[in-house]
Amino acid sequence: MGHTLFEKIWQAHLVRDEGGDDDDGAPAVIYADLHLLHDVTSPQAFAELDRRGIGVRRPDLCLATIDHSSPTLPPDAEGNRPYVSQAARLQAEALARSCERHGIEFHGWDSRHRGIVHVIGPEMGATQPGMTIVCGDSHTSTHGAFGTLAFGIGTTEVGHVLASQCLLQRKPATLGIAVEGQLSPGVTAKDVILHIIGTIGVDGGTGHVIEYFGSAIRALDMESRMTLCNMSIESGARAGIIAPDEVTFAYLKGRPKAPTGEAWEQAVARWRMLTTDPDARFDRVVEIDAQEIEPSVTWGTNPGMVIGIGERIPQRQDASAVDARSYMNLQSGHPLEGHHVDVVFIGSCTNSRISDLRAAAGIMRGHRVPQGTRVLVVPGSEQVRLQAEREGLHEVFKDSGAEWRESGCSMCLAMNGDMVLPGELVVSTSNRNFKGRQGRGARTILASPLTAAASAITGRVTDPRKFLGDSF
Amino acid sequence: MSNQSGLKAIECHTFNLSFDDIDTDQIFPAEFLATTEREGLGRYCFHYWRFDDRGDPISDGPLAGFDPGRHQVLVAGNNFGCGSSREHAPWALLDMGIRAVISRQFADIFYANALKNGLLPVTLEPAALEFLHSHPDQRVNIDIPSRTITIEEYGTLEFPLDPFSAHCLVEGIDQLEFLLHQEQHITRFERLSKTN
Ligand code: SF4
């Protein structure tokens, strides 16, 4: 029997297989090709290494940046960044110091590659097919878009990887998700993944690595594939993965960390073999009809509470649904469409890349954000920001009345001071609508950049297809 | 955090937080993530459920009646610990006095994080979970070597826990030490593999 793509990568990174019953029964020891680090989940790991007097085994396989608590407003006259607290500033400085001490490549305030860790990895070409990539961050699944096995780990494991470049892991099960057919106009990768999570549930992927395949997946560009894999974790999946193809290779070619010359040719030849064999078996398979997917939005307090934008809020009477409707202050049987929106956030590692900003600007161009709605656009990285500014997208956003910021996680998790006020309703291109995620008492509707942009210029939850004529 | 002392048994009363999908943003709100510490985080645990926006305790919230000495086992619904990978969640639970969490199923990263810190995740079948939900403040006795939980008015049940994790918990074995002992294997792997 053949092997799935996941199994091939797993097998190629086994330092030691799981111990059998007669052995110590230990989990497999898996080698990490790339370890991404950011401000929030690494300080305690470095401290533990220091406490034990252990060094970093492979600083050359680490890449670090600051993103979670980074202020998105410019520095003051003295060049001081407006950190929300001294603690946040110290945390970022601690990472910079640890990286310097251990010889780890670090992209801080002076780097043109600073940005959200899951945006800069691919952008720099550090994320490459066939790799194992780990990071103390659950949205590491993003990198699976390149045919990598990429997953989030906790801080103790960050320490393990720093010290040994390895992780103790049990082999996950596999879930194949086939998306066949053509997506309708106005339906994006974000709608596809929201639809999938709405279908399989927030624990539908638990214990599994998801491989996405099918004609609708093949038709997606790399940034869309990243959006899709990014939210795999919201179904509980360990990782999401898409087999690399010409689209992947074209994206990577010429990026700063991608191989060049003969090494590039050899790499592509190797990468072409990264497919799931036709006779391989997944533990489970789910089939999705691309044609059925509408622009999707969440109505509740987890990313599985999803409806098509034209649908009504479900009448479900289970405790979670009742509690979610009460927190969201929304009534069952009512439409979400047309509901007043206080804030629109366009950003996060899910949807802050250049194609996301182009899509949003395409809808917002020439329109004004109405009074009573605040719109924040936060590029995913400095590279994205610079590119958007070269294209004049920032002017489109600013002319419409939106705020154009510097890069970072920002309002996705609201720990940098960019936050939604209690009770406010936000249409957000981020990935989590948990209670309080975007600020205490914030009520989040997750949506695509198109839906967010359409909602921004109307001040109401709006079906982006109403504006397609303007932008397509 | 190494769990040097080892954990063999837990005898205490349960405390119910019978909701499904309790995410790590509830357990440890992002607002408090700007820390380089991992001790003393219990005061932030379920902060928005325990304190209002002025910082005053919420007397009728989900954690009303929680008694740290008595209640060392949390009983949740399904899919406890979903969302962010922040290990601050188990650190804060432990610091608040929790030593085990019972759920129908756990989110993968939380499960791994919990075990690495000596916080025991106990997966139970729906019937037992329902019993606990309808019988708050139950006396339970969890025995890790035999991987069993005795619920006073319900009976004794086995729960899944791989032998390696059980061994590490009971003996207080630190998994980093284990990994560092794999040095030979790691060096050989690095020599042989030309991956990227
Ligand atoms: S943008 Fe949001 S989800 Fe992505 S890494 Fe930052 S905080 Fe996490």
Side-chain angles (χ1 to χ4, degrees), chain A residues 38 67-68 116-118 137 139 230 347-350 408-410 412-413 430-432 437:
Chain A
H38 64 78
D67 52 10
H68 280 65
I116 304 173
V117 68
H118 310 308
D137 192 282
H139 291 99
N230 171 275
S348 90
C349 58
T350 312
C409 296
S410 179
C412 171
L413 91 163
S430 56
N431 42 55
R432 286 187 173 139
R437 168 78 178 186

mmCIF file of all heavy atoms in Angstrom, chain A residues 38 67-68 116-118 137 139 230 347-350 408-410 412-413 430-432 437, ligand 1:
data_model
loop_
_atom_site.group_PDB
_atom_site.id
_atom_site.type_symbol
_atom_site.label_atom_id
_atom_site.label_comp_id
_atom_site.label_asym_id
_atom_site.label_seq_id
_atom_site.Cartn_x
_atom_site.Cartn_y
_atom_site.Cartn_z
ATOM 1 N N HIS A 38 8.802 33.438 18.355
ATOM 2 C CA HIS A 38 8.275 34.801 18.489
ATOM 3 C C HIS A 38 8.310 35.222 19.948
ATOM 4 O O HIS A 38 8.713 34.457 20.821
ATOM 5 C CB HIS A 38 6.867 34.909 17.882
ATOM 6 C CG HIS A 38 5.832 34.078 18.572
ATOM 7 N ND1 HIS A 38 5.266 34.452 19.757
ATOM 8 C CD2 HIS A 38 5.279 32.890 18.235
ATOM 9 C CE1 HIS A 38 4.398 33.530 20.119
ATOM 10 N NE2 HIS A 38 4.386 32.568 19.224
ATOM 11 N N ASP A 67 6.098 39.770 16.961
ATOM 12 C CA ASP A 67 4.827 40.022 16.294
ATOM 13 C C ASP A 67 3.643 40.183 17.250
ATOM 14 O O ASP A 67 2.834 41.090 17.109
ATOM 15 C CB ASP A 67 4.528 38.922 15.258
ATOM 16 C CG ASP A 67 4.621 37.500 15.824
ATOM 17 O OD1 ASP A 67 4.725 37.346 17.060
ATOM 18 O OD2 ASP A 67 4.591 36.534 15.026
ATOM 19 N N HIS A 68 3.554 39.325 18.272
ATOM 20 C CA HIS A 68 2.333 39.275 19.073
ATOM 21 C C HIS A 68 2.018 40.573 19.804
ATOM 22 O O HIS A 68 0.877 41.002 19.841
ATOM 23 C CB HIS A 68 2.400 38.110 20.062
ATOM 24 C CG HIS A 68 2.068 36.796 19.432
ATOM 25 N ND1 HIS A 68 2.843 36.231 18.450
ATOM 26 C CD2 HIS A 68 1.037 35.940 19.616
ATOM 27 C CE1 HIS A 68 2.301 35.080 18.062
ATOM 28 N NE2 HIS A 68 1.205 34.880 18.755
ATOM 29 N N ILE A 116 4.509 38.979 11.101
ATOM 30 C CA ILE A 116 3.927 37.822 11.763
ATOM 31 C C ILE A 116 4.710 36.589 11.321
ATOM 32 O O ILE A 116 4.991 36.415 10.134
ATOM 33 C CB ILE A 116 2.432 37.653 11.412
ATOM 34 C CG1 ILE A 116 1.656 38.927 11.748
ATOM 35 C CG2 ILE A 116 1.847 36.460 12.150
ATOM 36 C CD1 ILE A 116 0.203 38.905 11.275
ATOM 37 N N VAL A 117 5.054 35.780 12.279
ATOM 38 C CA VAL A 117 5.980 34.674 12.043
ATOM 39 C C VAL A 117 5.517 33.768 10.888
ATOM 40 O O VAL A 117 6.333 33.297 10.095
ATOM 41 C CB VAL A 117 6.199 33.921 13.382
ATOM 42 C CG1 VAL A 117 4.943 33.193 13.834
ATOM 43 C CG2 VAL A 117 7.376 33.009 13.332
ATOM 44 N N HIS A 118 4.200 33.590 10.755
ATOM 45 C CA HIS A 118 3.695 32.711 9.687
ATOM 46 C C HIS A 118 3.562 33.437 8.352
ATOM 47 O O HIS A 118 3.195 32.835 7.356
ATOM 48 C CB HIS A 118 2.364 32.097 10.091
ATOM 49 C CG HIS A 118 2.408 31.486 11.444
ATOM 50 N ND1 HIS A 118 3.374 30.573 11.803
ATOM 51 C CD2 HIS A 118 1.652 31.682 12.556
ATOM 52 C CE1 HIS A 118 3.198 30.246 13.069
ATOM 53 N NE2 HIS A 118 2.173 30.900 13.554
ATOM 54 N N ASP A 137 3.364 28.137 18.507
ATOM 55 C CA ASP A 137 2.206 28.876 18.050
ATOM 56 C C ASP A 137 1.310 27.938 17.257
ATOM 57 O O ASP A 137 1.772 27.265 16.336
ATOM 58 C CB ASP A 137 2.658 30.035 17.153
ATOM 59 C CG ASP A 137 1.526 31.004 16.904
ATOM 60 O OD1 ASP A 137 0.659 30.691 16.073
ATOM 61 O OD2 ASP A 137 1.489 32.046 17.568
ATOM 62 N N HIS A 139 -0.895 28.329 15.008
ATOM 63 C CA HIS A 139 -1.131 28.557 13.581
ATOM 64 C C HIS A 139 0.064 28.238 12.693
ATOM 65 O O HIS A 139 0.108 28.604 11.522
ATOM 66 C CB HIS A 139 -1.641 29.977 13.354
ATOM 67 C CG HIS A 139 -3.014 30.134 13.911
ATOM 68 N ND1 HIS A 139 -3.262 30.691 15.133
ATOM 69 C CD2 HIS A 139 -4.212 29.732 13.433
ATOM 70 C CE1 HIS A 139 -4.553 30.635 15.386
ATOM 71 N NE2 HIS A 139 -5.159 30.063 14.382
ATOM 72 N N ASN A 230 -3.795 27.515 7.497
ATOM 73 C CA ASN A 230 -3.702 28.298 8.734
ATOM 74 C C ASN A 230 -4.773 27.899 9.733
ATOM 75 O O ASN A 230 -4.511 27.719 10.924
ATOM 76 C CB ASN A 230 -3.821 29.787 8.375
ATOM 77 C CG ASN A 230 -3.949 30.703 9.570
ATOM 78 O OD1 ASN A 230 -5.041 30.906 10.076
ATOM 79 N ND2 ASN A 230 -2.832 31.244 10.042
ATOM 80 N N GLY A 347 -6.488 41.768 8.817
ATOM 81 C CA GLY A 347 -5.124 41.439 9.233
ATOM 82 C C GLY A 347 -5.047 40.014 9.736
ATOM 83 O O GLY A 347 -5.943 39.211 9.465
ATOM 84 N N SER A 348 -3.957 39.689 10.446
ATOM 85 C CA SER A 348 -3.645 38.388 11.059
ATOM 86 C C SER A 348 -2.983 37.429 10.088
ATOM 87 O O SER A 348 -3.050 37.613 8.875
ATOM 88 C CB SER A 348 -4.878 37.707 11.654
ATOM 89 O OG SER A 348 -5.503 36.886 10.686
ATOM 90 N N CYS A 349 -2.385 36.374 10.655
ATOM 91 C CA CYS A 349 -1.665 35.399 9.831
ATOM 92 C C CYS A 349 -2.595 34.647 8.898
ATOM 93 O O CYS A 349 -2.136 33.927 8.017
ATOM 94 C CB CYS A 349 -0.886 34.426 10.720
ATOM 95 S SG CYS A 349 -1.918 33.532 11.882
ATOM 96 N N THR A 350 -3.898 34.797 9.077
ATOM 97 C CA THR A 350 -4.846 34.140 8.175
ATOM 98 C C THR A 350 -5.013 34.950 6.890
ATOM 99 O O THR A 350 -5.037 34.395 5.794
ATOM 100 C CB THR A 350 -6.217 33.999 8.863
ATOM 101 O OG1 THR A 350 -6.028 33.475 10.163
ATOM 102 C CG2 THR A 350 -7.134 33.067 8.092
ATOM 103 N N GLY A 408 2.011 43.338 12.332
ATOM 104 C CA GLY A 408 1.989 42.606 13.593
ATOM 105 C C GLY A 408 0.681 41.851 13.744
ATOM 106 O O GLY A 408 -0.179 41.908 12.866
ATOM 107 N N CYS A 409 0.553 41.160 14.859
ATOM 108 C CA CYS A 409 -0.663 40.369 15.116
ATOM 109 C C CYS A 409 -1.846 41.272 15.459
ATOM 110 O O CYS A 409 -2.994 40.953 15.171
ATOM 111 C CB CYS A 409 -0.428 39.401 16.259
ATOM 112 S SG CYS A 409 0.817 38.145 15.904
ATOM 113 N N SER A 410 -1.560 42.353 16.146
ATOM 114 C CA SER A 410 -2.550 43.404 16.390
ATOM 115 C C SER A 410 -3.854 42.873 16.984
ATOM 116 O O SER A 410 -3.859 42.137 17.972
ATOM 117 C CB SER A 410 -2.769 44.158 15.072
ATOM 118 O OG SER A 410 -3.712 45.171 15.193
ATOM 119 N N CYS A 412 -5.829 40.669 16.247
ATOM 120 C CA CYS A 412 -6.162 39.235 16.194
ATOM 121 C C CYS A 412 -6.242 38.675 17.602
ATOM 122 O O CYS A 412 -7.119 37.879 17.903
ATOM 123 C CB CYS A 412 -5.130 38.465 15.391
ATOM 124 S SG CYS A 412 -5.341 36.692 15.499
ATOM 125 N N LEU A 413 -5.293 39.088 18.462
ATOM 126 C CA LEU A 413 -5.369 38.623 19.848
ATOM 127 C C LEU A 413 -5.331 39.783 20.833
ATOM 128 O O LEU A 413 -5.403 39.557 22.032
ATOM 129 C CB LEU A 413 -4.290 37.572 20.165
ATOM 130 C CG LEU A 413 -2.924 38.002 20.712
ATOM 131 C CD1 LEU A 413 -2.211 36.841 21.329
ATOM 132 C CD2 LEU A 413 -2.113 38.685 19.685
ATOM 133 N N SER A 430 -9.412 37.543 10.985
ATOM 134 C CA SER A 430 -8.536 36.674 11.770
ATOM 135 C C SER A 430 -9.158 35.284 11.900
ATOM 136 O O SER A 430 -10.024 34.910 11.117
ATOM 137 C CB SER A 430 -8.256 37.325 13.121
ATOM 138 O OG SER A 430 -9.472 37.613 13.787
ATOM 139 N N ASN A 431 -8.739 34.544 12.901
ATOM 140 C CA ASN A 431 -9.060 33.117 12.923
ATOM 141 C C ASN A 431 -9.809 32.637 14.161
ATOM 142 O O ASN A 431 -10.193 31.487 14.240
ATOM 143 C CB ASN A 431 -7.755 32.330 12.776
ATOM 144 C CG ASN A 431 -6.653 32.955 13.615
ATOM 145 O OD1 ASN A 431 -6.822 33.142 14.814
ATOM 146 N ND2 ASN A 431 -5.543 33.311 12.990
ATOM 147 N N ARG A 432 -9.951 33.487 15.161
ATOM 148 C CA ARG A 432 -10.600 33.016 16.391
ATOM 149 C C ARG A 432 -11.644 34.011 16.852
ATOM 150 O O ARG A 432 -11.361 35.211 16.998
ATOM 151 C CB ARG A 432 -9.570 32.793 17.506
ATOM 152 C CG ARG A 432 -8.781 31.555 17.234
ATOM 153 C CD ARG A 432 -7.841 31.144 18.334
ATOM 154 N NE ARG A 432 -7.292 29.856 17.963
ATOM 155 C CZ ARG A 432 -6.032 29.487 18.118
ATOM 156 N NH1 ARG A 432 -5.175 30.307 18.678
ATOM 157 N NH2 ARG A 432 -5.635 28.304 17.739
ATOM 158 N N ARG A 437 -11.467 37.281 22.770
ATOM 159 C CA ARG A 437 -10.230 37.128 22.005
ATOM 160 C C ARG A 437 -9.723 38.476 21.478
ATOM 161 O O ARG A 437 -8.537 38.748 21.460
ATOM 162 C CB ARG A 437 -10.477 36.167 20.837
ATOM 163 C CG ARG A 437 -9.386 36.115 19.788
ATOM 164 C CD ARG A 437 -8.204 35.292 20.231
ATOM 165 N NE ARG A 437 -7.190 35.215 19.175
ATOM 166 C CZ ARG A 437 -6.101 34.466 19.238
ATOM 167 N NH1 ARG A 437 -5.875 33.722 20.302
ATOM 168 N NH2 ARG A 437 -5.234 34.451 18.269
HETATM 169 S S1 SF4 C 1 -1.909 36.812 13.859
HETATM 170 FE FE1 SF4 C 1 -3.149 35.984 15.500
HETATM 171 S S2 SF4 C 1 -3.272 33.806 15.180
HETATM 172 FE FE2 SF4 C 1 -1.617 34.595 13.880
HETATM 173 S S3 SF4 C 1 0.238 34.302 15.076
HETATM 174 FE FE3 SF4 C 1 -0.516 36.355 15.506
HETATM 175 S S4 SF4 C 1 -1.840 36.126 17.297
HETATM 176 FE FE4 SF4 C 1 -1.509 34.087 16.479
#
